[in-house]
Amino acid sequence: MEEVASMVPEGARLADIGADHAFLPIHLTLTGRIRFAVVGEVNRGPWSNALRRVQEAGLRSRIDVRLGDGLSVLRPGEADVVVIAGMGGTLMANLLEAGKDKLDGVRRLVLQPNIGGRRVREWLLEGGFTITAESLVEDAGILYEVIAAEPGDPRAPYEETGFPMSVLLEAGPVLCRDRHPLLPERFAAIVESKKKVADQLRRGKSVEAREKYERLESEIKEWERVIACLFGERK
């Protein structure tokens, strides 16, 4: 939460979509970082929990807790910063696509996909948002990524990196550019995951399984070449 909070600009009008217990907007409001917040929850249970937390914090007049799906809880131009955290990348991309009419006037997206960061970056490319910051946080042995994006040239972060687009989409162009200290662990985790899938495919009997295995083996070799270039490892 601290890493996500650090990417929210001072004075923001915040929308936190899928806020769960509303810890982030409560923290940002109490510390004076944001002007007000809209909290959106699609299910009544989490909505009720968020509303209770906001009431207990005495912030009912500054944090509006709404029941609704994704960005549908927002009025156009109501928020200039949108946070979506703690869900899969595919769902996140779907919510952004479904609510893209609510993104006019939004000056920053702060996104924390638990898995599927590649799909989020693909949507940002399609949606006209450029990645301005990325970070990795390790918690209980699991790496979590945080992505900040703003309206602009979506291809700019990927240019002149020297690495394949497929790698940058999955690993993060800014993380690669800045050589984030947790990047070696991230690359190792990605390659290990691909090797597990490849091992399963290798045992398959069908032509389709064999073709997928060969494609994945090619991907793994590409990742290992990038690792050698980035970190000086020799395969």
Side-chain angles (χ1 to χ4, degrees):
M1 187 183 77
E2 290 180 1
E3 194 66 29
V4 172
S6 72
M7 293 191 181
V8 176
E10 293 275 355
R13 296 175 296 137
L14 179 73
D16 190 354
I17 304 303
D20 196 17
H21 291 85
F23 290 138
L24 178 68
I26 289 172
H27 167 72
L28 291 173
T29 302
L30 290 176
T31 56
R33 191 173 183 89
I34 61 174
R35 292 158 57 187
F36 72 89
V38 173
V39 168
E41 277 293 350
V42 68
N43 295 314
R44 188 165 292 275
W47 170 83
S48 178
N49 289 336
L51 180 60
R52 177 172 55 83
R53 294 284 185 180
V54 169
Q55 289 172 334
E56 290 173 349
L59 296 174
R60 193 69 180 89
S61 64
R62 298 186 61 189
I63 301 176
D64 194 359
V65 184
R66 300 174 185 173
L67 186 64
D69 190 10
L71 296 171
S72 68
V73 299
L74 290 177
R75 293 183 287 272
E78 186 174 29
D80 50 31
V81 176
V82 172
V83 171
I84 309 179
M87 64 181 70
T90 297
L91 175 57
M92 193 174 291
N94 290 342
L95 292 178
L96 289 166
E97 180 63 22
K100 60 185 177 182
D101 60 314
K102 305 295 180 70
L103 296 178
D104 289 342
V106 169
R107 59 190 174 109
R108 174 168 284 199
L109 300 173
V110 182
L111 310 170
Q112 186 267 297
N114 286 342
I115 59 172
R118 177 185 180 122
R119 182 66 194 101
V120 173
R121 293 185 182 91
E122 288 172 343
W123 186 90
L124 293 171
L125 275 171
E126 299 160 4
F129 283 82
T130 184
I131 297 173
T132 55
E134 291 180 308
S135 185
L136 289 172
V137 177
E138 186 173 7
D139 184 23
I142 300 174
L143 287 176
Y144 296 95
E145 56 186 327
V146 185
I147 305 167
E150 300 175 359
D153 179 5
R155 301 195 70 84
Y158 298 91
E159 294 173 351
E160 299 180 1
T161 63
F163 303 114
M165 188 69 166
S166 59
V167 169
L168 294 173
L169 281 169
E170 196 161 352
V174 176
L175 292 172
C176 291
R177 181 198 69 195
D178 295 346
R179 304 296 195 270
H180 191 281
L182 290 175
L183 200 59
E185 287 87 343
R186 176 158 177 76
F187 270 67
I190 290 171
V191 171
E192 181 63 24
S193 176
K194 290 181 181 296
K195 285 182 176 180
K196 287 180 179 179
V197 175
D199 187 56
Q200 293 173 350
L201 289 171
R202 182 175 55 82
R203 301 172 189 173
K205 305 292 186 181
S206 68
V207 173
E208 182 183 8
R210 184 65 191 178
E211 290 175 347
K212 288 182 178 179
Y213 168 75
E214 290 175 354
R215 286 197 298 270
L216 194 52
E217 278 292 290
S218 179
E219 281 184 32
I220 291 169
K221 289 178 181 178
E222 182 176 58
W223 276 85
E224 289 177 338
R225 284 194 295 270
V226 173
I227 288 172
C229 182
L230 277 172
F231 312 121
E233 296 182 22
R234 293 291 179 263
K235 300 293 178 183

